[in-house]
Amino acid sequence: MTRPLIAVLDYGIGNLRSAQKSLERMGADARLTADVGLIADAAGVVLPGVGAFGPCMDALRGTGLDEQARIAAADGRPFLGICIGLQLLYEGSEEAPGTAGLGILPGTVQLLPGNVKRPQMQWNRLEVRTPNPLLEGLDGAWVYFVHSYAAPMADNVAAVCDYGGPVAGVVGDSNVWATQFHPEKSARPGLRLLENFVNQARAADVRA
């Protein structure tokens, strides 16, 4: 079985290597990279992230990888955002009003509503609303969240968790998907999602 090349965008924020190692475990040739040529050759692209929206977006833009993310998302390859990587896909965030996001997905990331404790830092149950290959085997799974902001509830929300009401856990359509939870910290369910993503990248790999 082929090991599809997956580029994990390296913009110097947080523990990006944990996502790379988990993808390798699930059968990918995963590279933590800022190399434009390698990103262009990859069968799939992953945008991970931890921390705050503003500094992460500034770092992504500072490396020039913001444009590479837009290109990869637009050309039909499997694309996966993780945690802050999900939030960066939007036009902006209430966390950093003066900072523009990637604008790949419409809308603004919002503070978790109501009187809930922020951040949500816990395991929570995932409810799949829109079945798709990425989420195969994930309905009802317990996954690990650490966040104070969340994607707007819209038609592209594929899975939710309950945290004082429905909160977006997975968003996306077509080739662009993103998880608010950390697959690499979510034990078997998280690895299952990454395996599903690797399988999508393998199917899309023109070198296979």
Side-chain angles (χ1 to χ4, degrees), residues 3-7 29 31 33 35-45 68 71-72 75 77 201 204-208:
R3 296 177 65 86
L5 176 62
I6 293 180
D29 176 11
R31 314 277 186 90
T33 183
D35 183 87
V36 173
L38 192 149
I39 295 167
D41 288 341
V45 175
Q68 297 309 310
I71 291 169
D75 69 13
R77 283 178 290 167
D205 191 352
V206 297
R207 302 170 306 152

PDB file of all heavy atoms in Angstrom, residues 3-7 29 31 33 35-45 68 71-72 75 77 201 204-208:
ATOM      1  N   ARG A   3       2.244   5.057   0.587  1.00  0.00           N
ATOM      2  CA  ARG A   3       2.230   6.015   1.678  1.00  0.00           C
ATOM      3  C   ARG A   3       2.116   7.402   1.058  1.00  0.00           C
ATOM      4  O   ARG A   3       3.124   7.943   0.572  1.00  0.00           O
ATOM      5  CB  ARG A   3       3.495   5.896   2.533  1.00  0.00           C
ATOM      6  CG  ARG A   3       3.629   4.554   3.242  1.00  0.00           C
ATOM      7  CD  ARG A   3       4.939   4.451   4.013  1.00  0.00           C
ATOM      8  NE  ARG A   3       5.012   5.405   5.104  1.00  0.00           N
ATOM      9  CZ  ARG A   3       4.530   5.183   6.324  1.00  0.00           C
ATOM     10  NH1 ARG A   3       3.909   4.043   6.613  1.00  0.00           N
ATOM     11  NH2 ARG A   3       4.652   6.093   7.277  1.00  0.00           N
ATOM     12  N   PRO A   4       0.919   7.970   1.009  1.00  0.00           N
ATOM     13  CA  PRO A   4       0.748   9.257   0.328  1.00  0.00           C
ATOM     14  C   PRO A   4       1.541  10.357   1.027  1.00  0.00           C
ATOM     15  O   PRO A   4       1.625  10.400   2.260  1.00  0.00           O
ATOM     16  CB  PRO A   4      -0.755   9.511   0.413  1.00  0.00           C
ATOM     17  CG  PRO A   4      -1.200   8.720   1.609  1.00  0.00           C
ATOM     18  CD  PRO A   4      -0.340   7.492   1.615  1.00  0.00           C
ATOM     19  N   LEU A   5       2.106  11.256   0.238  1.00  0.00           N
ATOM     20  CA  LEU A   5       2.837  12.391   0.777  1.00  0.00           C
ATOM     21  C   LEU A   5       1.836  13.424   1.305  1.00  0.00           C
ATOM     22  O   LEU A   5       0.988  13.911   0.564  1.00  0.00           O
ATOM     23  CB  LEU A   5       3.706  13.016  -0.311  1.00  0.00           C
ATOM     24  CG  LEU A   5       4.466  14.290   0.072  1.00  0.00           C
ATOM     25  CD1 LEU A   5       5.447  14.018   1.203  1.00  0.00           C
ATOM     26  CD2 LEU A   5       5.184  14.863  -1.144  1.00  0.00           C
ATOM     27  N   ILE A   6       1.939  13.727   2.594  1.00  0.00           N
ATOM     28  CA  ILE A   6       1.082  14.735   3.212  1.00  0.00           C
ATOM     29  C   ILE A   6       1.975  15.814   3.811  1.00  0.00           C
ATOM     30  O   ILE A   6       2.865  15.537   4.610  1.00  0.00           O
ATOM     31  CB  ILE A   6       0.172  14.118   4.285  1.00  0.00           C
ATOM     32  CG1 ILE A   6      -0.839  13.168   3.626  1.00  0.00           C
ATOM     33  CG2 ILE A   6      -0.554  15.219   5.082  1.00  0.00           C
ATOM     34  CD1 ILE A   6      -1.789  12.499   4.591  1.00  0.00           C
ATOM     35  N   ALA A   7       1.741  17.051   3.391  1.00  0.00           N
ATOM     36  CA  ALA A   7       2.504  18.194   3.889  1.00  0.00           C
ATOM     37  C   ALA A   7       1.802  18.780   5.109  1.00  0.00           C
ATOM     38  O   ALA A   7       0.646  19.200   5.023  1.00  0.00           O
ATOM     39  CB  ALA A   7       2.638  19.252   2.798  1.00  0.00           C
ATOM     40  N   ASP A  29       3.278   9.327   4.385  1.00  0.00           N
ATOM     41  CA  ASP A  29       4.615   9.912   4.344  1.00  0.00           C
ATOM     42  C   ASP A  29       4.416  11.382   4.692  1.00  0.00           C
ATOM     43  O   ASP A  29       4.290  12.241   3.818  1.00  0.00           O
ATOM     44  CB  ASP A  29       5.228   9.743   2.953  1.00  0.00           C
ATOM     45  CG  ASP A  29       6.580  10.425   2.821  1.00  0.00           C
ATOM     46  OD1 ASP A  29       7.139  10.844   3.863  1.00  0.00           O
ATOM     47  OD2 ASP A  29       7.071  10.553   1.692  1.00  0.00           O
ATOM     48  N   ARG A  31       5.292  15.021   6.149  1.00  0.00           N
ATOM     49  CA  ARG A  31       6.462  15.891   6.293  1.00  0.00           C
ATOM     50  C   ARG A  31       6.044  17.226   6.905  1.00  0.00           C
ATOM     51  O   ARG A  31       5.129  17.886   6.404  1.00  0.00           O
ATOM     52  CB  ARG A  31       7.086  16.175   4.924  1.00  0.00           C
ATOM     53  CG  ARG A  31       7.266  14.949   4.032  1.00  0.00           C
ATOM     54  CD  ARG A  31       8.502  14.178   4.312  1.00  0.00           C
ATOM     55  NE  ARG A  31       8.677  13.116   3.328  1.00  0.00           N
ATOM     56  CZ  ARG A  31       9.343  13.268   2.177  1.00  0.00           C
ATOM     57  NH1 ARG A  31       9.909  14.434   1.879  1.00  0.00           N
ATOM     58  NH2 ARG A  31       9.439  12.257   1.328  1.00  0.00           N
ATOM     59  N   THR A  33       6.791  20.793   7.008  1.00  0.00           N
ATOM     60  CA  THR A  33       7.552  21.505   5.990  1.00  0.00           C
ATOM     61  C   THR A  33       7.015  22.904   5.711  1.00  0.00           C
ATOM     62  O   THR A  33       5.819  23.171   5.880  1.00  0.00           O
ATOM     63  CB  THR A  33       7.540  20.701   4.677  1.00  0.00           C
ATOM     64  OG1 THR A  33       8.351  21.359   3.704  1.00  0.00           O
ATOM     65  CG2 THR A  33       6.121  20.562   4.128  1.00  0.00           C
ATOM     66  N   ASP A  35       8.457  24.045   2.694  1.00  0.00           N
ATOM     67  CA  ASP A  35       8.988  24.015   1.341  1.00  0.00           C
ATOM     68  C   ASP A  35       7.851  24.067   0.319  1.00  0.00           C
ATOM     69  O   ASP A  35       7.003  23.163   0.272  1.00  0.00           O
ATOM     70  CB  ASP A  35       9.818  22.751   1.137  1.00  0.00           C
ATOM     71  CG  ASP A  35      10.455  22.696  -0.236  1.00  0.00           C
ATOM     72  OD1 ASP A  35      11.563  23.249  -0.398  1.00  0.00           O
ATOM     73  OD2 ASP A  35       9.821  22.130  -1.152  1.00  0.00           O
ATOM     74  N   VAL A  36       7.834  25.099  -0.500  1.00  0.00           N
ATOM     75  CA  VAL A  36       6.749  25.315  -1.449  1.00  0.00           C
ATOM     76  C   VAL A  36       6.650  24.170  -2.451  1.00  0.00           C
ATOM     77  O   VAL A  36       5.544  23.714  -2.788  1.00  0.00           O
ATOM     78  CB  VAL A  36       6.930  26.662  -2.178  1.00  0.00           C
ATOM     79  CG1 VAL A  36       5.907  26.821  -3.297  1.00  0.00           C
ATOM     80  CG2 VAL A  36       6.811  27.822  -1.190  1.00  0.00           C
ATOM     81  N   GLY A  37       7.799  23.690  -2.936  1.00  0.00           N
ATOM     82  CA  GLY A  37       7.790  22.606  -3.901  1.00  0.00           C
ATOM     83  C   GLY A  37       7.224  21.329  -3.322  1.00  0.00           C
ATOM     84  O   GLY A  37       6.437  20.628  -3.974  1.00  0.00           O
ATOM     85  N   LEU A  38       7.593  21.016  -2.100  1.00  0.00           N
ATOM     86  CA  LEU A  38       7.085  19.808  -1.460  1.00  0.00           C
ATOM     87  C   LEU A  38       5.581  19.927  -1.208  1.00  0.00           C
ATOM     88  O   LEU A  38       4.833  18.968  -1.426  1.00  0.00           O
ATOM     89  CB  LEU A  38       7.834  19.549  -0.144  1.00  0.00           C
ATOM     90  CG  LEU A  38       7.618  18.185   0.515  1.00  0.00           C
ATOM     91  CD1 LEU A  38       8.855  17.763   1.280  1.00  0.00           C
ATOM     92  CD2 LEU A  38       6.410  18.195   1.443  1.00  0.00           C
ATOM     93  N   ILE A  39       5.151  21.103  -0.775  1.00  0.00           N
ATOM     94  CA  ILE A  39       3.721  21.309  -0.546  1.00  0.00           C
ATOM     95  C   ILE A  39       2.950  21.137  -1.852  1.00  0.00           C
ATOM     96  O   ILE A  39       1.879  20.523  -1.881  1.00  0.00           O
ATOM     97  CB  ILE A  39       3.472  22.699   0.064  1.00  0.00           C
ATOM     98  CG1 ILE A  39       4.100  22.787   1.465  1.00  0.00           C
ATOM     99  CG2 ILE A  39       1.973  23.006   0.155  1.00  0.00           C
ATOM    100  CD1 ILE A  39       4.182  24.197   2.021  1.00  0.00           C
ATOM    101  N   ALA A  40       3.495  21.645  -2.936  1.00  0.00           N
ATOM    102  CA  ALA A  40       2.833  21.520  -4.235  1.00  0.00           C
ATOM    103  C   ALA A  40       2.738  20.069  -4.688  1.00  0.00           C
ATOM    104  O   ALA A  40       1.792  19.691  -5.385  1.00  0.00           O
ATOM    105  CB  ALA A  40       3.584  22.345  -5.279  1.00  0.00           C
ATOM    106  N   ASP A  41       3.716  19.246  -4.300  1.00  0.00           N
ATOM    107  CA  ASP A  41       3.738  17.837  -4.697  1.00  0.00           C
ATOM    108  C   ASP A  41       2.888  16.951  -3.803  1.00  0.00           C
ATOM    109  O   ASP A  41       2.623  15.791  -4.143  1.00  0.00           O
ATOM    110  CB  ASP A  41       5.173  17.305  -4.676  1.00  0.00           C
ATOM    111  CG  ASP A  41       6.010  17.843  -5.819  1.00  0.00           C
ATOM    112  OD1 ASP A  41       5.424  18.331  -6.812  1.00  0.00           O
ATOM    113  OD2 ASP A  41       7.251  17.791  -5.716  1.00  0.00           O
ATOM    114  N   ALA A  42       2.467  17.452  -2.645  1.00  0.00           N
ATOM    115  CA  ALA A  42       1.787  16.623  -1.660  1.00  0.00           C
ATOM    116  C   ALA A  42       0.398  16.202  -2.136  1.00  0.00           C
ATOM    117  O   ALA A  42      -0.304  16.960  -2.804  1.00  0.00           O
ATOM    118  CB  ALA A  42       1.675  17.369  -0.338  1.00  0.00           C
ATOM    119  N   ALA A  43       0.014  14.985  -1.759  1.00  0.00           N
ATOM    120  CA  ALA A  43      -1.331  14.496  -2.077  1.00  0.00           C
ATOM    121  C   ALA A  43      -2.378  15.099  -1.155  1.00  0.00           C
ATOM    122  O   ALA A  43      -3.556  15.161  -1.497  1.00  0.00           O
ATOM    123  CB  ALA A  43      -1.360  12.975  -1.976  1.00  0.00           C
ATOM    124  N   GLY A  44      -1.947  15.533   0.035  1.00  0.00           N
ATOM    125  CA  GLY A  44      -2.845  16.164   0.987  1.00  0.00           C
ATOM    126  C   GLY A  44      -2.078  17.167   1.823  1.00  0.00           C
ATOM    127  O   GLY A  44      -0.855  17.083   1.942  1.00  0.00           O
ATOM    128  N   VAL A  45      -2.785  18.123   2.397  1.00  0.00           N
ATOM    129  CA  VAL A  45      -2.165  19.194   3.175  1.00  0.00           C
ATOM    130  C   VAL A  45      -2.896  19.322   4.512  1.00  0.00           C
ATOM    131  O   VAL A  45      -4.137  19.279   4.551  1.00  0.00           O
ATOM    132  CB  VAL A  45      -2.193  20.533   2.416  1.00  0.00           C
ATOM    133  CG1 VAL A  45      -1.665  21.664   3.288  1.00  0.00           C
ATOM    134  CG2 VAL A  45      -1.370  20.418   1.130  1.00  0.00           C
ATOM    135  N   GLN A  68       0.074  29.376   0.346  1.00  0.00           N
ATOM    136  CA  GLN A  68       0.150  27.950   0.021  1.00  0.00           C
ATOM    137  C   GLN A  68      -1.078  27.209   0.533  1.00  0.00           C
ATOM    138  O   GLN A  68      -1.561  26.277  -0.121  1.00  0.00           O
ATOM    139  CB  GLN A  68       1.425  27.349   0.617  1.00  0.00           C
ATOM    140  CG  GLN A  68       2.707  27.936   0.061  1.00  0.00           C
ATOM    141  CD  GLN A  68       2.732  27.922  -1.452  1.00  0.00           C
ATOM    142  OE1 GLN A  68       2.466  26.901  -2.085  1.00  0.00           O
ATOM    143  NE2 GLN A  68       3.054  29.056  -2.054  1.00  0.00           N
ATOM    144  N   ILE A  71      -3.894  27.959  -1.920  1.00  0.00           N
ATOM    145  CA  ILE A  71      -3.706  27.226  -3.168  1.00  0.00           C
ATOM    146  C   ILE A  71      -4.105  25.770  -2.999  1.00  0.00           C
ATOM    147  O   ILE A  71      -4.830  25.196  -3.822  1.00  0.00           O
ATOM    148  CB  ILE A  71      -2.243  27.337  -3.642  1.00  0.00           C
ATOM    149  CG1 ILE A  71      -1.938  28.770  -4.085  1.00  0.00           C
ATOM    150  CG2 ILE A  71      -1.962  26.354  -4.781  1.00  0.00           C
ATOM    151  CD1 ILE A  71      -0.463  29.036  -4.325  1.00  0.00           C
ATOM    152  N   ALA A  72      -3.635  25.155  -1.915  1.00  0.00           N
ATOM    153  CA  ALA A  72      -3.928  23.741  -1.678  1.00  0.00           C
ATOM    154  C   ALA A  72      -5.415  23.508  -1.487  1.00  0.00           C
ATOM    155  O   ALA A  72      -5.979  22.516  -1.982  1.00  0.00           O
ATOM    156  CB  ALA A  72      -3.152  23.249  -0.456  1.00  0.00           C
ATOM    157  N   ASP A  75      -7.245  23.787  -5.009  1.00  0.00           N
ATOM    158  CA  ASP A  75      -6.949  22.914  -6.155  1.00  0.00           C
ATOM    159  C   ASP A  75      -7.523  21.506  -6.025  1.00  0.00           C
ATOM    160  O   ASP A  75      -7.230  20.648  -6.856  1.00  0.00           O
ATOM    161  CB  ASP A  75      -5.445  22.887  -6.442  1.00  0.00           C
ATOM    162  CG  ASP A  75      -4.615  22.187  -5.373  1.00  0.00           C
ATOM    163  OD1 ASP A  75      -5.191  21.488  -4.513  1.00  0.00           O
ATOM    164  OD2 ASP A  75      -3.372  22.328  -5.402  1.00  0.00           O
ATOM    165  N   ARG A  77      -7.188  19.156  -3.621  1.00  0.00           N
ATOM    166  CA  ARG A  77      -6.539  18.130  -2.802  1.00  0.00           C
ATOM    167  C   ARG A  77      -7.173  18.043  -1.420  1.00  0.00           C
ATOM    168  O   ARG A  77      -7.674  19.050  -0.901  1.00  0.00           O
ATOM    169  CB  ARG A  77      -5.049  18.448  -2.645  1.00  0.00           C
ATOM    170  CG  ARG A  77      -4.224  18.127  -3.860  1.00  0.00           C
ATOM    171  CD  ARG A  77      -2.774  18.525  -3.646  1.00  0.00           C
ATOM    172  NE  ARG A  77      -2.604  19.973  -3.607  1.00  0.00           N
ATOM    173  CZ  ARG A  77      -1.492  20.584  -3.190  1.00  0.00           C
ATOM    174  NH1 ARG A  77      -0.480  19.863  -2.728  1.00  0.00           N
ATOM    175  NH2 ARG A  77      -1.403  21.896  -3.219  1.00  0.00           N
ATOM    176  N   ALA A 201      -6.264  11.041   0.929  1.00  0.00           N
ATOM    177  CA  ALA A 201      -5.074  11.517   0.235  1.00  0.00           C
ATOM    178  C   ALA A 201      -4.502  10.434  -0.679  1.00  0.00           C
ATOM    179  O   ALA A 201      -4.048  10.719  -1.791  1.00  0.00           O
ATOM    180  CB  ALA A 201      -4.025  11.964   1.247  1.00  0.00           C
ATOM    181  N   ALA A 204      -6.400  10.292  -3.802  1.00  0.00           N
ATOM    182  CA  ALA A 204      -6.182  11.464  -4.647  1.00  0.00           C
ATOM    183  C   ALA A 204      -4.767  11.550  -5.193  1.00  0.00           C
ATOM    184  O   ALA A 204      -4.485  12.419  -6.020  1.00  0.00           O
ATOM    185  CB  ALA A 204      -6.486  12.740  -3.859  1.00  0.00           C
ATOM    186  N   ASP A 205      -3.886  10.657  -4.770  1.00  0.00           N
ATOM    187  CA  ASP A 205      -2.467  10.759  -5.107  1.00  0.00           C
ATOM    188  C   ASP A 205      -2.234  10.311  -6.540  1.00  0.00           C
ATOM    189  O   ASP A 205      -2.374   9.130  -6.871  1.00  0.00           O
ATOM    190  CB  ASP A 205      -1.653   9.878  -4.146  1.00  0.00           C
ATOM    191  CG  ASP A 205      -0.161  10.137  -4.244  1.00  0.00           C
ATOM    192  OD1 ASP A 205       0.267  10.883  -5.145  1.00  0.00           O
ATOM    193  OD2 ASP A 205       0.583   9.584  -3.411  1.00  0.00           O
ATOM    194  N   VAL A 206      -1.858  11.245  -7.408  1.00  0.00           N
ATOM    195  CA  VAL A 206      -1.631  10.926  -8.820  1.00  0.00           C
ATOM    196  C   VAL A 206      -0.402  10.049  -9.006  1.00  0.00           C
ATOM    197  O   VAL A 206      -0.221   9.439 -10.065  1.00  0.00           O
ATOM    198  CB  VAL A 206      -1.476  12.211  -9.652  1.00  0.00           C
ATOM    199  CG1 VAL A 206      -2.756  13.035  -9.607  1.00  0.00           C
ATOM    200  CG2 VAL A 206      -0.307  13.056  -9.161  1.00  0.00           C
ATOM    201  N   ARG A 207       0.456   9.955  -7.971  1.00  0.00           N
ATOM    202  CA  ARG A 207       1.670   9.135  -8.092  1.00  0.00           C
ATOM    203  C   ARG A 207       1.390   7.676  -7.766  1.00  0.00           C
ATOM    204  O   ARG A 207       2.232   6.821  -7.967  1.00  0.00           O
ATOM    205  CB  ARG A 207       2.753   9.658  -7.148  1.00  0.00           C
ATOM    206  CG  ARG A 207       3.150  11.100  -7.350  1.00  0.00           C
ATOM    207  CD  ARG A 207       4.036  11.574  -6.220  1.00  0.00           C
ATOM    208  NE  ARG A 207       3.383  11.336  -4.952  1.00  0.00           N
ATOM    209  CZ  ARG A 207       4.041  11.134  -3.799  1.00  0.00           C
ATOM    210  NH1 ARG A 207       5.333  11.114  -3.772  1.00  0.00           N
ATOM    211  NH2 ARG A 207       3.355  10.935  -2.673  1.00  0.00           N
ATOM    212  N   ALA A 208       0.199   7.419  -7.175  1.00  0.00           N
ATOM    213  CA  ALA A 208      -0.095   6.055  -6.716  1.00  0.00           C
ATOM    214  C   ALA A 208      -0.269   5.107  -7.889  1.00  0.00           C
ATOM    215  O   ALA A 208      -0.657   5.494  -8.978  1.00  0.00           O
ATOM    216  CB  ALA A 208      -1.354   6.097  -5.868  1.00  0.00           C
TER     217      ALA A 208
END
